Amino acid sequence: MSTPSVNTSAEIPAGFGEAAFEAFLTTRDEPDWVTQSRRQAFKRYSELLESELDPEEWRRVDLRALRPDRFQLNAGSENSKDSADGKHAETLLKDQAEFAGHVTHVDGQLASNDLAAELAAKGVIFGDLATVVREHSDLIQKHFMTRAVDSETDRFSAWHAAFWTGGTVLYVPRNVVIETPLYSLITLQTEKAADFSHTLIILEEGASATLLEETASTTTENLGLHMGAVELLLAKEARLRYVQLQNWNHKVWHIAHQAGRVDNSGFLQWTVGGIGAKLAHIHQDVVLDGRGAEAEVNGVTFATDKQIHSFYTQQVHNGQGTRSDLLYKQVLRDHSRAIWRGMIRVEPEGQQTNGYQRNDSLMLSSTSRVDAIPGLEIEADDVRCTHGATAGRVDEEQIFYCMSRGMSEYEAMHMIVEGFFQTVFDRIPVEVVRETLNQAIIKKLGFGR
Amino acid sequence: MYTPDFEEVASLDEFSSADRLEVFIGDTPVLLIQLDDQVFAIEDVCTHDGQPLTNGCIEEGVIICPRHGARFDIKTGKALCMPATKSIQTFEVEVRDRKVFARSVN
């Protein structure tokens, strides 16, 4: 059953108070259970606004300049249709490879999507959450914010659960293998627009897929807000490669709860690229539930100017014989800041766990700053868990040596930065992602300017 | 060199019950401090740990970070003791008709 009266052209007031929430609900055409869950989440959001954030996660992240009342949700799809395919956005991945399907969102609304006919015939679903939730309500209800991201975690997850606008859904049935990557583009176009997109990937037993997701702004000047969530649900022996490349302009706030759950012998390879945003904070959980589940998490970030890139990562080992391997490489320049708080948690049932986490930071200027805090919480007695973090400046002698061999300072710097990232690039099997990240780094360094 | 325009950030009347006010200049959190009938503006972020100076004690023209004790000169922004080694940003302030205007110095 759907909401009886839907007004997609209604104006939603700026901000995220009660009036904005009620106006937002009138623009939605969705099943009753969604409306009910939104109302519960909004109530929880209002309560959580009155309580302090978890200091372990937030004490190093300054949110005072984040003023929600400045941002506004887009009610209808008029703007998004005008810029179908997000063609105005400066994207890094689009048109760089062949994709089996794509979904594009502009200002939180679907602009376009398609999927190869042979995949649709096999039962694959790839589309916009706002649409799929109507057409496959039972499927979404079973998986949406039930196992991975919890709307009760903090004010941001509740905020997202109340106001999610759309997002990309990928459902791959049992034993269906998708060889060609799929592509999702999320763009912000309007000044002070808010995007609350939700990525939901469900892989049934033995299924396999690759999804490349990119966020981009259409201008360098517009303020924006992304309050997102990502849920990756892998059943037994499923294999997923998921890449999210965050490439907003430097005036966008990017806050996201992201979680993956992997069942028996499943394999999740998750790559996070962080280049843009004014402030980006990602709460990333990888939960290995089943025996022999594996996850490899790669992070590549490059912050310049006054950007802040913050990650709060958790590798949770619930099942026996599970393996996780996390490697984050972060480069900073100017007055930028990187914060990484990582935790490996092994539950009592997680015997024979093999957990690894590492964070390396390279500072290209003395005014940048890194806080890297690895951690272990182990409740099983037969595990192998290791972690480490390094932070340092570029060696002046290396630059001098390169320049003495005829390179310019930019070329030398690029070679050193590329070499720094190489160990994480080597772990990314999708060539277009490696090349795209490398191009983004060159651009960020100002090489060839 | 580009000098930004003054922005109206507060009124002197708002100081009636407090010696400091939290405001924004652009997206920068700024602390306005009334000291000896003058108003000063400093970036409200300790250069040591990147967190607010908002509730720091003020003694003889110096603000003391409430967490680790770093001290900053309110008039110049200069870091006066460890653990801070870098100055905090200061802002130019003008008071016209009891309204407080401020702009970035550099």
Side-chain angles (χ1 to χ4, degrees):
Chain A
M1 203 173 100
S2 294
T3 312
S5 60
V6 175
N7 182 5
T8 54
S9 60
E11 180 78 7
I12 301 173
F16 298 90
E18 185 131 23
F21 179 67
E22 293 299 336
F24 170 69
L25 284 186
T26 66
T27 68
R28 307 298 295 184
D29 175 17
E30 50 201 15
D32 284 345
W33 69 265
V34 177
T35 310
Q36 291 311 314
S37 73
R38 285 188 190 280
R39 287 197 181 280
Q40 275 178 12
F42 183 73
K43 184 167 176 278
R44 188 72 183 128
Y45 166 63
S46 305
E47 289 166 3
L48 286 167
L49 280 177
E50 304 301 318
S51 58
E52 275 193 30
L53 288 161
D54 176 9
E56 275 301 308
E57 180 169 355
W58 292 98
R59 73 160 58 111
R60 293 169 186 83
V61 184
D62 190 348
L63 291 172
R64 285 174 293 170
L66 171 59
R67 285 167 281 175
D69 55 343
R70 291 201 293 179
F71 299 100
Q72 188 167 22
L73 287 166
N74 176 10
S77 53
E78 296 306 312
N79 291 342
S80 50
K81 293 294 182 200
D82 291 345
S83 60
D85 296 343
K87 60 190 173 191
H88 302 303
E90 193 178 340
T91 62
L92 294 169
L93 283 166
K94 190 173 167 59
D95 302 327
Q96 298 299 311
E98 186 187 337
F99 298 114
H102 87 276
V103 177
T104 300
H105 286 89
V106 177
D107 293 346
Q109 302 290 331
L110 177 70
S112 65
N113 79 291
D114 64 28
L115 175 67
E118 68 267 26
L119 293 179
K122 288 178 181 173
V124 173
I125 299 168
F126 184 57
D128 170 39
L129 178 61
T131 310
V132 177
V133 79
R134 290 196 299 269
E135 295 172 353
H136 303 275
S137 178
D138 291 345
L139 174 74
I140 300 302
Q141 187 172 13
K142 184 177 167 191
H143 297 287
F144 181 79
M145 298 193 91
T146 53
R147 293 176 52 213
V149 173
D150 182 358
S151 65
E152 301 267 320
T153 304
D154 60 22
R155 71 178 67 157
F156 300 107
S157 60
W159 190 0
H160 171 86
F163 286 97
W164 63 267
T165 47
T168 299
V169 179
L170 171 63
Y171 170 79
V172 187
R174 189 176 175 190
N175 293 331
V176 172
V177 175
I178 303 176
E179 300 285 355
T180 311
L182 299 153
Y183 177 62
S184 163
L185 174 63
I186 302 163
T187 68
L188 281 170
Q189 177 176 277
T190 313
E191 168 73 352
K192 297 179 181 171
D195 170 83
F196 280 58
S197 58
H198 188 108
T199 301
L200 175 62
I201 302 179
I202 306 155
L203 264 56
E204 298 285 16
E205 193 177 320
S208 172
T210 301
L211 176 65
L212 312 183
E213 188 161 68
E214 180 177 7
T215 68
S217 303
T218 53
T219 73
T220 56
E221 293 304 315
N222 286 351
L223 289 182
L225 171 68
H226 170 81
M227 190 62 56
V230 172
E231 298 189 284
L232 314 175
L233 304 170
L234 281 70
K236 189 177 162 188
E237 294 174 3
R239 296 179 71 81
L240 174 67
R241 291 188 293 196
Y242 173 69
V243 177
Q244 191 186 53
L245 182 53
Q246 182 270 105
N247 185 30
W248 301 118
N249 71 22
H250 287 203
K251 294 193 168 181
V252 173
W253 295 81
H254 176 101
I255 297 175
H257 274 267
Q258 307 184 342
R261 294 199 82 125
V262 188
D263 213 333
N264 287 16
S265 302
F267 175 70
L268 169 63
Q269 189 191 58
W270 189 345
T271 301
V272 176
I275 297 163
K278 174 187 177 63
L279 180 148
H281 178 85
I282 292 178
H283 180 121
Q284 184 186 36
D285 292 340
V286 175
V287 185
L288 303 172
D289 292 311
R291 179 187 280 259
E294 293 184 52
E296 191 175 281
V297 185
N298 306 313
V300 175
T301 75
F302 194 161
T304 54
D305 302 322
K306 283 189 160 184
Q307 284 184 291
I308 298 169
H309 286 162
S310 167
F311 293 87
Y312 186 84
T313 68
Q314 293 191 89
Q315 299 150 258
V316 182
H317 294 258
N318 288 338
Q320 194 176 352
T322 53
R323 183 182 76 89
S324 71
D325 181 354
L326 178 144
L327 175 63
Y328 265 70
K329 292 271 192 177
Q330 302 186 279
V331 173
L332 301 97
R333 201 186 64 193
D334 309 325
H335 289 82
S336 62
R337 192 158 178 211
I339 302 145
W340 173 75
R341 176 86 170 87
M343 179 63 71
I344 296 178
R345 176 161 178 82
V346 183
E347 298 296 335
E349 299 77 21
Q351 300 292 1
Q352 288 93 48
T353 280
N354 186 351
Y356 181 67
Q357 64 174 187
R358 182 181 173 110
N359 173 282
D360 295 323
S361 300
L362 182 66
M363 289 177 281
L364 304 183
S365 58
S366 62
T367 46
S368 56
R369 176 188 169 119
V370 173
D371 293 271
I373 307 130
L376 299 172
E377 283 181 13
I378 300 173
E379 296 196 29
D381 58 6
D382 180 17
V383 301
R384 180 179 184 277
C385 290
T386 45
H387 66 178
T390 66
R393 298 282 309 277
V394 174
D395 189 340
E396 293 289 332
E397 284 194 12
Q398 287 179 359
I399 301 268
F400 179 77
Y401 174 76
C402 291
M403 291 175 75
S404 75
R405 309 293 288 182
M407 289 182 183
S408 70
E409 189 177 352
Y410 280 130
E411 286 171 318
M413 196 66 91
H414 175 237
M415 180 184 271
I416 289 165
V417 170
E418 191 179 10
F420 174 76
F421 280 133
Q422 194 59 48
T423 48
V424 71
F425 285 172
D426 287 345
R427 291 156 53 115
I428 302 171
V430 187
E431 189 182 353
V432 65
V433 175
R434 282 199 304 271
E435 285 185 6
T436 301
L437 284 169
N438 197 25
Q439 289 302 315
I441 288 159
I442 292 171
K443 196 173 166 194
K444 200 100 193 194
L445 275 171
F447 178 59
R449 67 187 170 182
Chain B
M1 195 176 72
Y2 169 72
T3 308
D5 293 334
F6 277 102
E7 285 179 46
E8 184 181 336
V9 289
S11 157
L12 279 185
D13 300 333
E14 295 173 61
F15 281 105
S16 58
S17 58
D19 64 346
R20 67 194 80 182
L21 293 175
E22 295 174 65
V23 298
F24 286 94
I25 297 178
D27 265 349
T28 306
V30 169
L31 201 56
L32 293 181
I33 298 167
Q34 197 169 37
L35 203 64
D36 304 331
D37 293 332
Q38 266 191 290
V39 178
F40 298 93
I42 57 171
E43 184 174 4
D44 190 9
V45 177
C46 176
T47 56
H48 164 241
D49 69 357
Q51 293 300 298
L53 288 165
T54 317
N55 298 320
C57 287
I58 294 172
E59 293 174 1
E60 297 173 354
V62 170
I63 187 161
I64 303 164
C65 176
R67 288 170 301 282
H68 307 100
R71 301 165 79 94
F72 299 94
D73 187 309
I74 290 169
K75 293 176 185 172
T76 64
K78 191 175 174 188
L80 301 174
C81 75
M82 292 291 279
T85 56
K86 292 172 190 158
S87 304
I88 49 174
Q89 188 182 353
T90 55
F91 296 82
E92 194 175 348
V93 175
E94 279 190 12
V95 179
R96 306 174 210 148
D97 298 332
R98 298 193 63 76
K99 289 175 181 166
V100 181
F101 295 80
R103 69 176 177 187
S104 176
V105 175
N106 40 29

